[in-house]
């Protein structure tokens, strides 16, 4: 797998999650990702020895370059000239202030692919707004729709929007590489994280835009899916749950059989899907009285064997011990400079029957300065020292 993007060099100006996730995937596939940092900016989520940084920046190189200096920008242009991709996730004004917009960069590298991953995109009245994943989730409606109550927005509890934007960015970059291979032309990609997440709202977005209908949070309900029962049901043990979704009459009959055909399940109000949906609240309460007597994993097994869609609601600890993931060697062990020996996730696809075992720890701040500035760009040792002493490389 590490060989697929061998020969592709990426100059990575991204920070925090959306951009670093994009470049982590490219690095996993073998691209040489050179992360541009500085002593000024390597703070918070960008501290190289933190567990957070380690998780999103494996297989990359790190250089220090303070782009507020004109001479640093000259070095950046030289690096751009010998690279294939430049990626950044600042607000639009940042690259413009440095004079490093795509129009400037392509003068030194005409077939360059550049992608800007901003919160709102490079145009529009909100273009200069900055945001993190949870902000985008709120704007897109995801925070509202994943709540249980319209008066108490909840959200997914994770920067899901950043992951979505990162995946869209990878797709866009690979498409641009494919196009460049065909016609030799580079291009500029303007990616809006807001648009990436809004597009996943699906029927809810269409319902509002086309039907002008109010869309309310459904909690664990099926929303636009024809299913009842449908939800997460409490099981025996502390905070143990099982997700159950019944779409067809055959599945409903199978569920009744597993339950021992209780009298309440034979009531007229539960006889058809439409009436079960109408009486979903009562149905959930009665089903929950049965599921609470069962271990979630055992319940999942007997329901699946009967043909009823069901799955354990796993905690992080459950996930780490999951036998399916372990059997596929999904978890990798790696020694990072900061957190030490860590467990991380691999890429979720296996190529030619094998999962790569080559994983490089996240880089220390500036650990590849010599390689990039001397070996790639041809600086003399005394020039490197001079740039470092003046804080240009630093």
């Amino acid at each position: 797998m590490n060989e697929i993007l061998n020969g592709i060099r990426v100059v990575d100006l991204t920070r925090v999650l959306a951009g670093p996730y994009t470049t982590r995937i490219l690095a996993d596939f073998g691209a040489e990702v050179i992360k541009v940092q500085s002593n000024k900016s390597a703070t918070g989520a960008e501290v190289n020895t933190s567990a957070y940084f380690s998780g999103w920046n494996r297989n990359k190189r790190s250089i220090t370059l303070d782009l507020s200096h004109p001479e640093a920008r000259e070095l950046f242009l030289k690096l751009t000239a010998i690279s294939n991709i430049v990626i950044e996730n600042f607000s639009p004004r940042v690259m413009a202030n440095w004079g490093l917009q795509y129009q400037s960069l392509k003068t030194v590298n005409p077939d360059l692919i550049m992608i800007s991953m901003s919160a709102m995109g490079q145009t529009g009245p909100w273009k200069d707004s900055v945001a993190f994943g949870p902000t985008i989730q709120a704007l897109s409606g995801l925070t509202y729709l994943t709540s249980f109550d319209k008066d108490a927005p909840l959200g997914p509890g994770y920067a899901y929007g950043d992951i979505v934007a990162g995946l869209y960015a990878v797709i866009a970059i690979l498409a641009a590489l494919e196009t460049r291979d065909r016609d030799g032309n580079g291009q500029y990609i303007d990616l809006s994280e807001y648009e990436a997440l809004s597009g996943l709202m699906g029927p809810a977005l269409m319902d509002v835009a086309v039907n002008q209908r109010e869309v309310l949070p459904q909690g664990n309900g099926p929303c636009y899916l024809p299913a009842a029962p449908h939800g997460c049901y409490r099981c025996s043990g502390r905070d143990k749950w099982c997700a159950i979704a019944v779409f067809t009459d055959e599945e409903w009959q199978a569920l009744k059989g597993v339950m021992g055909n209780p009298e309440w399940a034979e009531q007229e109000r539960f006889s058809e899907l439409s009436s079960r949906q109408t009486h979903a609240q009562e149905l959930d309460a009665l089903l929950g009285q049965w599921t609470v007597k069962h271990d979630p994993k055992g319940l999942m097994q007997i329901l699946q064997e009967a043909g009823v869609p069901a799955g354990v609601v796993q905690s992080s600890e459950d996930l780490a011990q999951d036998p399916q993931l372990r059997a596929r060697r999904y978890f990798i062990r790696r020694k990072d400079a900061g957190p030490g020996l860590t467990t991380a996730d691999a890429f979720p696809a296996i190529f030619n029957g094998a999962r790569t075992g080559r994983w490089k720890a996240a880089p220390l701040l500036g650990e590849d300065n010599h390689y990039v500035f001397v070996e790639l760009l041809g600086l003399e040792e005394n020039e490197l020292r001079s740039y470092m002493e003046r804080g240009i490389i630093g």
Side-chain angles (χ1 to χ4, degrees):
M1 172 180 141
N2 315 62
E3 310 302 322
I4 293 175
L5 291 179
N6 267 11
I8 299 296
R9 180 175 293 133
V10 182
V11 181
D12 179 8
L13 289 161
T14 66
R15 294 170 50 83
V16 189
L17 178 48
Y21 182 55
T22 303
T23 52
R24 189 186 86 165
I25 294 174
L26 299 176
D28 285 352
F29 279 106
E32 182 182 58
V33 175
I34 299 173
K35 188 173 178 69
V36 180
Q37 300 182 269
S38 75
N39 289 313
K40 295 177 181 176
S41 64
T43 59
E46 290 295 299
V47 173
N48 295 59
T49 53
S50 71
Y52 186 93
F53 184 94
S54 297
W56 303 117
N57 291 283
R58 69 189 183 205
N59 292 331
K60 303 179 188 179
R61 298 182 182 276
S62 169
I63 63 171
T64 50
L65 197 58
D66 186 349
L67 292 170
S68 65
H69 292 274
E71 289 172 273
R73 297 195 288 272
E74 291 175 11
L75 289 171
F76 183 85
L77 288 173
K78 290 181 179 179
L79 180 58
T80 298
I82 60 170
S83 300
N84 307 103
I85 298 163
V86 170
I87 177 170
E88 54 93 6
N89 65 345
F90 301 118
S91 65
R93 61 182 178 270
V94 174
M95 296 298 282
N97 288 343
W98 287 333
L100 297 176
Q101 310 98 308
Y102 176 64
Q103 295 302 322
S104 299
L105 298 185
K106 75 173 187 177
T107 61
V108 299
N109 188 344
D111 63 354
L112 178 72
I113 294 167
M114 179 177 181
I115 178 166
S116 295
M117 301 175 61
S118 61
M120 301 295 162
Q122 301 296 301
T123 59
W126 292 356
K127 66 183 179 67
D128 289 322
S129 299
V130 295
F132 291 97
T135 317
I136 299 298
Q137 287 154 206
L139 282 169
S140 70
L142 180 66
T143 299
Y144 178 71
L145 289 178
T146 52
S147 304
F148 286 90
D149 188 321
K150 65 184 181 67
D151 297 320
L154 185 63
Y158 182 69
Y160 180 67
D162 285 331
I163 297 298
V164 170
L167 292 171
Y168 271 96
V170 171
I171 294 169
I173 289 168
L174 294 178
L177 285 171
E178 174 71 17
T179 302
R180 193 197 64 181
D181 286 348
R182 288 201 306 265
D183 61 24
N185 296 322
Q187 58 183 294
Y188 178 65
I189 302 166
D190 170 9
L191 187 143
S192 161
E193 186 171 343
Y194 185 24
E195 293 174 19
L197 199 55
S198 294
L200 297 185
M201 293 302 99
L205 181 61
M206 296 299 293
D207 221 357
V208 172
V210 177
N211 301 322
Q212 289 80 51
R213 185 158 48 204
E214 183 181 15
V215 178
L216 298 173
Q218 299 293 313
N220 287 327
C223 298
Y224 296 90
L225 299 176
H230 183 290
C232 296
Y233 301 90
R234 188 179 293 277
C235 297
S236 62
R238 183 181 178 185
D239 201 22
K240 300 295 184 182
W241 304 78
C242 184
I244 301 172
V246 173
F247 292 87
T248 67
D249 286 335
E250 291 76 17
E251 290 170 356
W252 172 241
Q253 294 301 323
L255 175 59
K256 288 198 299 182
V258 174
M259 292 190 294
N261 296 301
E263 187 175 328
W264 64 261
E266 302 298 337
Q267 295 176 12
E268 182 66 24
R269 58 180 173 160
F270 301 138
S271 60
E272 296 182 353
L273 174 60
S274 59
S275 58
R276 288 198 299 275
Q277 289 177 300
T278 302
H279 299 281
Q281 227 173 359
E282 302 101 298
L283 176 59
D284 286 344
L286 290 165
L287 179 57
Q289 292 175 14
W290 176 73
T291 61
V292 77
K293 302 172 185 176
H294 296 267
D295 168 76
K297 290 183 179 178
L299 181 59
M300 176 184 72
Q301 184 173 346
I302 61 172
L303 288 174
Q304 287 192 355
E305 288 174 352
V308 179
V312 175
V313 178
Q314 296 202 117
S315 66
S316 298
E317 184 178 1
D318 295 330
L319 199 64
Q321 302 299 325
D322 188 279
Q324 173 66 19
L325 297 178
R326 284 179 172 269
R328 284 174 59 85
R329 296 178 58 210
Y330 175 70
F331 295 114
I332 56 176
R333 298 285 280 170
R334 190 186 62 223
K335 189 173 183 180
D336 287 292
L341 191 62
T342 60
T343 299
D345 57 307
F347 190 81
I350 294 175
F351 292 79
N352 291 329
R355 198 187 294 276
T356 179
R358 293 163 51 195
W359 301 101
K360 178 180 175 292
L364 293 173
L365 182 64
E367 74 171 38
D368 298 289
N369 280 343
H370 189 277
Y371 164 75
V372 171
F373 294 115
V374 175
E375 297 182 39
L376 290 185
L377 299 187
L379 293 185
E380 299 293 335
E381 295 287 351
N382 63 325
E383 290 180 295
L384 176 62
R385 283 195 300 273
S386 174
Y387 278 121
M388 294 180 70
E389 288 167 0
R390 290 182 287 151
I392 293 167
I393 295 177

